[in-house]
Amino acid sequence: MYVVCPEHLSEAIDDFVEVYEQPPDLYELDKVSFTDWISPNTCDFCDKGPKYLVV
């Protein structure tokens, strides 16, 4: 699972496919919510605010 900014979306997708050998599901963080999970404040690859969840 990755939480990323728009600039790192393709990198997260590539990493996911390499590890799991299948395409991920993509979600915009402002359009989803989970009861037991809070989105991090920064991208997994940099210090920018995240926009996408890659799972």
Side-chain angles (χ1 to χ4, degrees), residues 3-30:
V3 178
V4 295
C5 66
E7 290 85 14
H8 289 108
L9 180 59
S10 62
E11 187 174 345
I13 293 170
D14 290 345
D15 285 358
F16 188 96
V17 170
E18 186 175 316
V19 171
Y20 298 104
E21 298 179 352
Q22 63 183 357
D25 291 325
L26 304 175
Y27 301 96
E28 288 188 46
L29 289 172
D30 60 354

Side-chain angles (χ1 to χ4, degrees), residues 13-52:
I13 293 170
D14 290 345
D15 285 358
F16 188 96
V17 170
E18 186 175 316
V19 171
Y20 298 104
E21 298 179 352
Q22 63 183 357
D25 291 325
L26 304 175
Y27 301 96
E28 288 188 46
L29 289 172
D30 60 354
K31 296 184 179 175
V32 296
S33 64
F34 300 96
T35 56
D36 291 334
W37 183 76
I38 298 172
S39 173
N41 292 325
T42 59
C43 171
D44 287 342
F45 295 94
C46 70
D47 292 330
K48 294 182 181 176
K51 181 171 180 173
Y52 298 102

